[in-house]
Amino acid sequence: MLYQLYETQRSFMEPFAELAQAASKLYSNPLNPASQTPLAQRVSAGYALMHRLGKDYVKPEFGIRTVKVDGVDVAIHERVEIDKAFCELRRFKRFSDDPATLQKLKEQPPVLIVAPLSGHYATLLRDTARTMLQDHKVYITDWKNARLVPLSDGEFHLDDYVNYVQEFIRHIQSIYGNCHVMSVCQPTVPVLAAVSLMASRGEKVPLTMTMMGGPIDARKSPTAVNNLAIHKSFEWFENNVIYRVPPNFPGSGRRVYPGFLQHTGFVAMNPDRHATSHYDYFKDLIKGDGASAEAHRKFYDEYNAVLDMDADYYLETIKTVFQEFKLVHGTWDVRGEDGQVERVRPQDIKAAALLTVEGELDDISGSGQTRAAQDLCTSIPKNDRQHLEVEGAGHYGIFSGRRWREVVYPKVTAFILQHAQQQAAAKPVTSVTRSANTPKSAPKAAPKVASRPAAKPAPRKATSAKSAVKTQWVKAKA
């Protein structure tokens, strides 16, 4: 019922928001005599703010048209590689007519960025993707708004999220032979589960895992988000935040955690900051500071665009991650696409290197929550595990903005490149080993490859590099 009331109110306010925008343009138009009156700028700014507060915010586009690679502009074509019921795997394909640049693009490693499904669209990682495109082939998970998914497409559970990630990893591996995976915030948990299950089955795993600002162990340094999930019962969430999609959407009847409720929670965490930001926008319009006003619009176009989450997925995340802490307790079982139930065992991961990143001032995933992955992945060699704490950075600062570009990204790309080069260097070693293991008595003419014993992969060599950021090496536990 609440969802229907919200939609009714939104539909009622929409024409008034459009009228406010028209009035703002009218009072700022130099051809209108009224715009020359003393209060015209204030009236125009007031109407513009009213429009921003009352308008409906739709999903933004990534809008990445070009990036610079070594000073050369490279065109970007965004396309959907895999279209699932609740998610699209998008690829940012790069094009260049410069032979040297094209060759470099082909040699760069592929990276899967797993975007969070926690209220905002994947476009929240626009800056992350744009920066990564300078040195990597980039894929990203683009989660769909659950209210647009028909009931006929079935339910969506946390297990399905894990299965999606595994499918996407296998898809990229089938193209390039290997890949790297980066997870930001919420997906650190299902991504670690996905890689753990692949490792337990003996499948090829990503060369590296970069986990940024996620609740691997939500018991550590609990934030306001963690406390809400801990202090409220599972039944409270089911009875107070879950509603059915109204009839005017394709997903009519689907049980969801509505985006407008999530947005209310986001704003409630820092109400004073948002009020000040809107007042500053009003003053910038009066002063004629177009650059600051446009920056405000771009931020809130993204921040105010929210999506509905399927109720089963949301409630299972609350229970698994924030209430029962199944990952760290070793009690999490995931049902695969084949119906088989498997236990998540991060200690089975051996071949994937791990980098965890935390912000010193993160008020969503507290200090130590992401680094907890280091304690779970005990079979990864200590030289393949690193932790980075970004001084002065909040939650968004570790994947967007100046600190991301100047502090975090250089560390991430160096980590990925190091292990990509180790993998490339290991290939000729494997070839030589196989030749050496060929029996001397084997016939010289057309020996059978299948009869040769398989060689063990060459061990990775630890490398060290100077860094201007605060890096902590984590030792493996016995």
Side-chain angles (χ1 to χ4, degrees):
M1 185 64 180
L2 180 63
Y3 204 148
Q4 184 63 64
L5 289 174
Y6 169 79
E7 281 300 313
T8 301
Q9 177 265 343
R10 185 189 62 81
S11 300
F12 178 76
M13 289 296 298
E14 189 171 1
F16 291 98
E18 296 300 322
L19 183 62
Q21 183 183 35
S24 175
K25 293 181 179 179
L26 178 66
Y27 277 95
S28 60
N29 191 332
L31 298 180
N32 179 16
S35 66
Q36 308 303 320
T37 59
L39 296 178
Q41 282 185 308
R42 291 181 176 272
V43 172
S44 177
Y47 277 124
L49 181 58
M50 186 183 301
H51 167 69
R52 298 289 303 176
L53 295 175
K55 70 176 294 229
D56 184 36
Y57 290 85
V58 298
K59 177 186 176 181
E61 63 173 8
F62 281 98
I64 304 175
R65 306 287 184 252
T66 63
V67 295
K68 284 190 178 295
V69 178
D70 290 343
V72 178
D73 283 328
V74 174
I76 304 297
H77 172 62
E78 179 184 327
R79 71 189 188 195
V80 177
E81 291 270 313
I82 299 178
D83 189 4
K84 306 287 289 184
F86 289 85
C87 183
E88 294 175 341
L89 177 63
R90 291 187 177 269
R91 180 185 180 185
F92 298 98
K93 177 69 174 177
R94 301 172 298 174
F95 294 89
S96 176
D97 56 3
D98 179 68
T101 301
L102 186 60
Q103 182 60 34
K104 182 171 184 177
L105 297 181
K106 291 180 179 180
E107 296 172 353
Q108 291 177 344
V111 177
L112 170 63
I113 301 177
V114 184
L117 176 53
S118 55
H120 288 108
Y121 289 96
T123 50
L124 191 68
L125 304 187
R126 182 185 296 102
D127 194 25
T128 313
R130 181 188 291 112
T131 307
M132 292 291 292
L133 279 166
Q134 299 173 15
D135 302 287
H136 313 84
K137 304 180 182 79
V138 175
Y139 294 75
I140 193 168
T141 58
D142 190 7
W143 300 100
K144 297 181 181 179
N145 193 333
R147 72 181 183 183
L148 303 180
V149 181
L151 282 172
S152 59
D153 285 342
E155 300 172 341
F156 186 71
H157 298 264
L158 182 57
D159 291 354
D160 296 315
Y161 193 123
V162 176
N163 293 330
Y164 275 25
V165 172
Q166 293 181 82
E167 180 179 349
F168 296 156
I169 290 175
R170 295 188 192 107
H171 172 74
I172 300 174
Q173 288 175 336
S174 69
I175 300 174
Y176 304 104
N178 59 64
C179 75
H180 305 258
V181 62
M182 172 190 291
S183 51
V184 180
C185 190
Q186 167 270 329
T188 54
V189 175
V191 166
L192 183 56
V195 178
S196 299
L197 293 172
M198 296 177 73
S200 298
R201 299 190 206 105
E203 292 186 58
K204 180 187 293 185
V205 298
L207 296 179
T208 66
M209 300 182 294
T210 301
M211 300 188 170
M212 308 171 67
I216 297 295
D217 187 352
R219 300 171 302 176
K220 298 180 180 293
S221 307
T223 63
V225 176
N226 305 141
N227 288 331
L228 176 65
I230 293 172
H231 296 141
K232 298 292 184 181
S233 67
F234 180 84
E235 290 73 20
W236 182 91
F237 285 99
E238 190 170 22
N239 295 330
N240 289 276
V241 302
I242 303 302
Y243 295 91
R244 293 195 179 274
V245 177
N248 52 318
F249 294 101
S252 174
R254 179 178 295 279
R255 295 173 66 245
V256 298
Y257 178 25
F260 71 88
L261 283 181
Q262 300 171 60
H263 181 263
T264 302
F266 297 152
V267 175
M269 291 180 64
N270 298 286
D272 296 339
R273 184 184 304 173
H274 291 289
T276 301
S277 179
H278 284 89
Y279 183 58
D280 289 341
Y281 172 67
F282 173 76
K283 292 190 295 184
D284 289 336
L285 290 175
I286 295 176
K287 293 184 297 184
D289 187 352
S292 297
E294 182 60 23
H296 173 95
R297 283 190 288 265
K298 285 184 177 180
F299 174 81
Y300 279 98
D301 282 348
E302 192 72 57
Y303 189 83
N304 292 338
V306 290
L307 53 76
D308 295 352
M309 290 188 287
D310 188 90
D312 293 313
Y313 158 78
Y314 172 72
L315 293 173
E316 289 167 8
T317 299
I318 291 292
K319 187 174 184 178
T320 300
V321 180
F322 297 102
Q323 293 185 342
E324 297 184 358
F325 313 105
K326 290 184 178 181
L327 178 61
V328 292
H329 286 157
T331 58
W332 188 8
D333 294 325
V334 173
R335 184 179 299 276
E337 293 183 348
D338 58 358
Q340 297 294 321
V341 177
E342 300 172 281
R343 177 63 54 89
V344 175
R345 294 173 49 83
Q347 62 268 32
D348 289 345
I349 303 174
K350 299 177 181 178
L354 174 64
L355 170 64
T356 51
V357 182
E358 293 182 342
E360 179 188 24
L361 306 179
D362 195 331
D363 59 351
I364 294 180
S365 295
S367 176
Q369 292 189 14
T370 311
R371 185 175 179 176
Q374 305 280 352
D375 299 326
L376 298 177
C377 301
T378 53
S379 296
I380 299 177
K382 64 178 182 179
N383 290 333
D384 289 337
R385 287 189 280 147
Q386 299 181 31
H387 177 73
L388 171 66
E389 181 180 344
V390 186
E391 297 181 1
H395 185 70
Y396 294 99
I398 60 177
F399 63 85
S400 180
R402 180 180 57 83
R403 284 190 177 88
W404 150 248
R405 292 188 293 269
E406 298 178 2
V407 179
V408 181
Y409 176 69
K411 181 65 179 177
V412 171
T413 189
F415 181 76
I416 291 175
L417 183 60
Q418 170 192 343
H419 293 280
Q421 290 175 339
Q422 287 179 355
Q423 174 71 10
K427 290 182 178 180
V429 175
T430 302
S431 177
V432 171
T433 304
R434 286 182 176 175
S435 299
N437 288 341
T438 303
K440 293 182 179 180
S441 60
K444 297 180 180 180
K448 293 183 179 179
V449 177
S451 65
R452 298 174 183 174
K456 296 183 180 180
R460 294 173 176 168
K461 297 180 180 180
T463 59
S464 61
K466 293 183 179 180
S467 174
V469 297
K470 181 179 179 183
T471 306
Q472 300 171 350
W473 293 87
V474 182
K475 297 183 178 179
K477 293 185 177 180

